[in-house]
Amino acid sequence: MKNEMTRLIDRLEAAHHLSAEEYTFLIRHRSPEMMEYAAEKARRIRLERYGNAVYARGLIEFTNHCRNDCLYCGIRRSNLHCQRYRLTSEQILECCGIGYELGFRTFVLQGGEDPFWKDEDFCTLIRQIKELYPDCAVTLSLGERTRESFQKLFDAGADRYLLRHETADEAHYKKLHPEEMSFSHRMQCLRDLKEIGYQVGCGFMVGSPYQTPQSLAEDLKFIEEFSPDMCGIGPFIPHKDTPFGSFAPGTLEETLWLLSLIRLMLPHVLLPATTALGTIHPKGRELGILSGANVVMPNLSPVSVRKKYELYDNKICTGDEAAECRGCLSRRMESIGYELTVHRGDVRR
Ligand code: 5AD
Ligand code: FES
């Protein structure tokens, strides 16, 4: 078993691809010893490509209104306990200002699919950010839109777009989403974003309900073929007011294992140690970095709304000011021999 596992890990490192069956085998037979074997290689690869810098992105969660009803998500439209909020453009620009002062050179605008925000509003906001902070990258995470809309936002100056594919297994996708959402549309969005010229991020949750080793292998196969610039993966964490409220969360170990495998597959990829990973374990983000991740995304949203952007229960950092999170993450990264850097941090293909 051990020989077969090391052989597959070595081959993934050398060739950057495996078959779905081989990924399934790796996922099934994870062990502490193999995790360390893969993590050591993953650290070496990211060190060669990115040094010991960990890129920080300032995350602005600007609306929790959402027209979607994903079964796992705390801000789904059916959750009547969710207190809805929406930042104004002025408030968002204020967050950028605070972030800029703290050194951030990437702003991530993330929100639910909020019909109140029209293309033109986004375009104006993006132009304003770019005018005020021309040395900054603007990353959007606004969910599914039309190709025309993606194009307009790109033309207004947006650089990157994050849209997790959530699962590459269509049958699994149907179990996580309501009838009216479509797997093929989500995948089409990712292809459109790439064709338009965005730096694109996909990603998925680890340990989501009904996930199997085969569906995870399909995620890896999809990521291999799509070759994203960024890949967001974090554990599923139940939210009490959703249909999945009593499902078990994803595990630290499986998330770390997948982070290492993705680093071996895509040496260039920008791979965040997510807030969800920091939520399921006090040292989750540090362990993520030590498994091959190279990005963290501290929150720049006003503390007054933090608790309301609750995709899952017990989310960390909801009471901390942006400056506190920045300081905290700097210390955390230093404690493991890495350095938090705030510059744009573009992908190095
Ligand atoms: N647990 C973990 N991650 C979640 N997301 C949504 N709900 C949850 C949850 N309960 C993730 C989804 C989404 C991203 C913004 O947050 O993958 O794409
Ligand atoms: Fe937010 Fe530690 S990163 S308090």
Side-chain angles (χ1 to χ4, degrees):
M1 180 72 71
K2 185 177 152 193
N3 283 348
E4 180 62 4
M5 289 290 279
T6 54
R7 194 180 65 76
L8 287 177
I9 293 168
D10 292 350
R11 197 142 60 76
L12 181 58
E13 180 189 18
H16 308 299
H17 61 85
L18 293 175
S19 69
E21 292 68 33
E22 289 167 325
Y23 285 128
T24 306
F25 189 91
L26 282 174
I27 290 158
R28 279 225 161 95
H29 301 287
R30 165 172 57 81
S31 67
E33 191 186 357
M34 286 305 111
M35 282 174 68
E36 188 41 41
Y37 185 76
E40 196 273 323
K41 285 178 184 292
R43 284 194 294 272
R44 189 152 29 80
I45 293 169
R46 50 143 302 172
L47 203 66
E48 280 165 19
R49 185 88 45 154
Y50 290 102
N52 73 340
V54 173
Y55 294 153
R57 320 307 201 178
L59 181 65
I60 304 170
E61 295 159 338
F62 70 94
T63 178
N64 70 354
H65 288 264
C66 192
R67 67 187 170 98
N68 279 336
D69 217 15
C70 308
L71 277 75
Y72 43 83
C73 184
I75 66 169
R76 66 199 301 266
R77 68 158 189 267
S78 297
N79 181 9
L80 302 178
H81 298 290
C82 176
Q83 276 186 46
R84 306 288 165 172
Y85 74 91
R86 177 182 288 134
L87 300 183
T88 62
S89 294
E90 291 68 36
Q91 286 175 306
I92 297 171
L93 288 169
E94 216 170 288
C95 294
C96 295
I98 294 169
Y100 194 86
E101 286 300 309
L102 291 170
F104 290 100
R105 293 298 177 267
T106 291
F107 301 120
V108 183
L109 301 182
Q110 183 172 93
E113 293 190 16
D114 181 354
F116 177 87
W117 276 87
K118 307 281 182 247
D119 284 345
E120 272 324 299
D121 305 323
F122 282 127
C123 288
T124 308
L125 177 64
I126 294 163
R127 282 195 214 96
Q128 282 173 317
I129 298 175
K130 283 290 188 171
E131 212 170 283
L132 286 165
Y133 311 110
D135 53 338
C136 290
V138 172
T139 304
L140 304 176
S141 179
L142 314 174
E144 297 177 34
R145 309 179 72 79
T146 62
R147 186 179 174 122
E148 293 66 42
S149 170
F150 289 143
Q151 183 71 55
K152 281 187 198 160
L153 306 181
F154 184 77
D155 295 339
D159 302 276
R160 310 180 183 139
Y161 204 104
L162 306 176
L163 182 71
R164 290 189 177 181
H165 64 284
E166 309 296 358
T167 172
D169 169 351
E170 183 160 12
H172 183 217
Y173 185 93
K174 290 201 172 107
K175 294 183 179 159
L176 300 180
H177 299 96
E179 195 81 54
E180 72 265 16
M181 287 181 71
S182 126
F183 174 76
S184 60
H185 185 256
R186 202 161 185 92
M187 290 304 200
Q188 187 57 47
C189 285
L190 282 166
R191 286 189 291 271
D192 287 342
L193 288 162
K194 205 175 197 185
E195 278 176 26
I196 289 169
Y198 284 94
Q199 292 178 38
V200 182
C202 63
F204 62 92
M205 293 177 288
V206 178
S208 60
Y210 312 110
Q211 190 174 62
T212 62
Q214 286 81 2
S215 57
L216 275 174
E218 284 192 47
D219 286 318
L220 294 181
K221 208 58 208 166
F222 168 71
I223 291 165
E224 180 193 287
E225 283 157 8
F226 187 66
S227 186
D229 302 292
M230 301 160 294
C231 182
I233 75 163
F236 160 74
I237 305 174
H239 185 293
K240 58 183 183 321
D241 299 320
T242 65
F244 292 160
S246 53
F247 277 78
T251 68
L252 174 75
E253 289 75 15
E254 189 155 57
T255 308
L256 298 178
W257 177 232
L258 289 161
L259 285 172
S260 296
L261 297 182
I262 292 171
R263 172 63 61 202
L264 298 183
M265 180 205 294
L266 301 178
H268 69 266
V269 81
L270 293 161
L271 197 58
T274 58
T275 304
L277 190 55
T279 298
I280 60 163
H281 188 280
K283 289 266 147 64
R285 287 168 297 177
E286 291 89 324
L287 293 167
I289 300 297
L290 291 170
S291 302
N294 64 336
V295 173
V296 288
M297 298 172 65
N299 209 313
L300 294 180
S301 317
V303 174
S304 58
V305 302
R306 292 264 182 111
K307 188 96 193 81
K308 297 179 185 154
Y309 200 84
E310 205 182 39
L311 307 183
Y312 46 80
D313 289 335
N314 306 315
K315 191 176 165 201
I316 54 169
C317 297
T318 53
D320 304 277
E321 293 291 347
E324 294 177 81
C325 283
R326 190 202 185 286
C328 170
L329 277 171
S330 285
R331 288 190 296 279
R332 285 173 181 268
M333 295 304 118
E334 262 165 44
S335 77
I336 53 168
Y338 290 78
E339 193 193 352
L340 192 77
T341 42
V342 276
H343 62 71
R344 266 181 68 114
D346 286 295
V347 68
R348 295 194 187 166
R349 286 257 178 195

Coordinates of all heavy atoms in Angstrom, one line a residue, residues 72-74 110 141 164 166 186 204-205 234-239 276 309 311-312, ligand 1:
Y72 N -26.5 24.1 1.6 CA -25.5 24.2 2.7 C -25.2 25.5 3.2 O -24.6 25.7 4.3 CB -24.1 23.7 2.0 CG -23.8 24.2 0.7 CD1 -23.2 25.5 0.5 CD2 -24.2 23.5 -0.5 CE1 -23.0 26.0 -0.7 CE2 -23.9 24.0 -1.8 CZ -23.3 25.3 -1.9 OH -23.1 25.8 -3.1
C73 N -25.8 26.6 2.6 CA -25.3 27.9 2.9 C -26.2 28.7 3.8 O -27.4 28.8 3.6 CB -25.1 28.7 1.6 SG -24.5 30.3 1.8
G74 N -25.6 29.3 4.8 CA -26.3 30.1 5.8 C -27.0 31.3 5.3 O -27.9 31.8 6.0
Q110 N -16.9 40.2 -2.3 CA -17.7 38.9 -2.3 C -19.1 39.2 -1.7 O -19.2 40.0 -0.8 CB -17.0 37.9 -1.4 CG -17.7 36.6 -1.4 CD -17.0 35.5 -0.7 OE1 -17.2 35.2 0.5 NE2 -16.1 34.8 -1.4
S141 N -16.3 38.1 -6.5 CA -16.8 36.8 -6.1 C -18.3 37.1 -5.9 O -18.8 37.3 -4.8 CB -16.2 36.3 -4.9 OG -16.7 35.1 -4.5
R164 N -16.5 29.2 -7.0 CA -16.2 27.8 -6.8 C -17.2 26.9 -7.6 O -18.4 27.2 -7.7 CB -16.5 27.5 -5.3 CG -15.4 28.1 -4.4 CD -15.6 27.6 -3.0 NE -14.6 28.0 -2.1 CZ -14.5 27.7 -0.8 NH1 -15.4 26.8 -0.3 NH2 -13.6 28.1 0.0
E166 N -18.0 24.0 -6.7 CA -18.7 23.3 -5.6 C -18.6 21.8 -5.7 O -18.3 21.2 -4.7 CB -20.2 23.7 -5.4 CG -20.4 25.3 -5.4 CD -19.8 26.0 -4.2 OE1 -19.2 25.4 -3.3 OE2 -19.9 27.2 -4.2
R186 N -23.1 26.7 -14.2 CA -22.0 27.0 -13.4 C -20.7 26.8 -14.1 O -19.8 27.6 -14.1 CB -22.0 26.3 -12.0 CG -21.2 27.0 -11.0 CD -21.6 26.5 -9.6 NE -20.9 27.3 -8.6 CZ -21.4 28.4 -8.0 NH1 -22.5 28.9 -8.3 NH2 -20.7 29.0 -7.1
F204 N -14.0 23.9 -4.1 CA -15.1 23.1 -3.6 C -15.0 22.9 -2.1 O -14.0 23.3 -1.5 CB -15.1 21.7 -4.3 CG -13.8 20.9 -4.0 CD1 -13.6 20.1 -3.0 CD2 -12.7 21.1 -4.9 CE1 -12.5 19.4 -2.7 CE2 -11.5 20.5 -4.6 CZ -11.4 19.6 -3.6
M205 N -16.0 22.4 -1.5 CA -16.0 22.1 0.0 C -15.6 20.7 0.2 O -15.9 19.8 -0.6 CB -17.4 22.3 0.6 CG -17.8 23.8 0.6 SD -19.5 23.9 1.2 CE -20.5 23.2 -0.1
G234 N -12.1 24.4 1.2 CA -12.2 24.5 2.7 C -13.2 23.5 3.2 O -14.0 23.0 2.3
P235 N -13.2 23.1 4.4 CA -14.1 22.1 4.9 C -15.6 22.6 4.9 O -15.8 23.8 5.1 CB -13.7 21.9 6.4 CG -13.0 23.2 6.8 CD -12.3 23.7 5.5
F236 N -16.5 21.8 4.6 CA -17.9 22.1 4.8 C -18.1 22.2 6.3 O -17.6 21.4 7.1 CB -18.8 20.9 4.2 CG -20.2 20.9 4.8 CD1 -21.1 21.9 4.4 CD2 -20.5 20.0 5.8 CE1 -22.4 21.9 5.0 CE2 -21.8 20.0 6.4 CZ -22.7 20.9 6.0
I237 N -18.9 23.2 6.7 CA -19.2 23.3 8.1 C -20.7 23.6 8.2 O -21.2 24.5 7.5 CB -18.5 24.5 8.8 CG1 -17.0 24.4 8.6 CG2 -18.9 24.7 10.3 CD1 -16.2 25.6 9.1
P238 N -21.5 22.7 9.0 CA -22.9 22.9 8.9 C -23.3 24.3 9.5 O -22.7 24.8 10.4 CB -23.4 21.8 9.8 CG -22.2 21.3 10.6 CD -21.0 21.7 9.8
H239 N -24.4 24.8 9.0 CA -25.1 26.0 9.5 C -26.4 25.6 10.1 O -27.2 24.9 9.4 CB -25.2 27.1 8.4 CG -25.8 28.3 9.0 ND1 -27.0 28.5 9.5 CD2 -25.2 29.6 9.1 CE1 -27.2 29.7 9.9 NE2 -26.1 30.4 9.7
A276 N -12.7 28.9 6.8 CA -13.4 27.7 7.2 C -12.4 26.7 7.9 O -12.7 26.1 8.9 CB -14.1 27.0 6.1
Y309 N -22.6 37.8 7.9 CA -22.2 37.0 6.7 C -21.8 35.6 7.2 O -20.6 35.2 7.1 CB -21.0 37.7 6.0 CG -20.8 37.3 4.5 CD1 -21.6 37.9 3.5 CD2 -20.0 36.3 4.2 CE1 -21.5 37.5 2.2 CE2 -19.8 35.9 2.9 CZ -20.6 36.5 1.9 OH -20.4 36.1 0.6
L311 N -21.9 32.0 6.6 CA -22.2 30.9 5.6 C -22.3 29.6 6.4 O -23.0 28.7 6.0 CB -21.1 30.8 4.6 CG -20.7 32.1 3.8 CD1 -19.6 31.8 2.8 CD2 -21.9 32.7 3.1
Y312 N -21.6 29.6 7.6 CA -21.6 28.4 8.4 C -21.4 28.8 9.9 O -21.1 30.0 10.2 CB -20.4 27.5 8.0 CG -19.1 28.2 7.8 CD1 -18.3 28.6 8.9 CD2 -18.7 28.6 6.6 CE1 -17.1 29.3 8.7 CE2 -17.5 29.3 6.4 CZ -16.7 29.6 7.5 OH -15.5 30.3 7.3
Ligands
5AD1 N1 -19.4 25.5 4.9 C1 -18.3 25.7 4.3 N2 -18.2 26.5 3.2 C2 -19.4 27.0 2.7 N3 -19.6 27.8 1.7 C3 -21.0 28.0 1.6 N4 -21.6 27.4 2.7 C4 -20.6 26.8 3.4 C5 -20.6 26.0 4.5 N5 -21.7 25.7 5.2 C6 -18.6 28.1 0.7 C7 -19.1 27.7 -0.8 C8 -19.1 29.1 -1.5 C9 -18.1 29.9 -0.7 C10 -18.3 31.4 -0.8 O1 -18.4 29.5 0.7 O2 -18.2 26.9 -1.4 O3 -18.7 29.0 -2.8

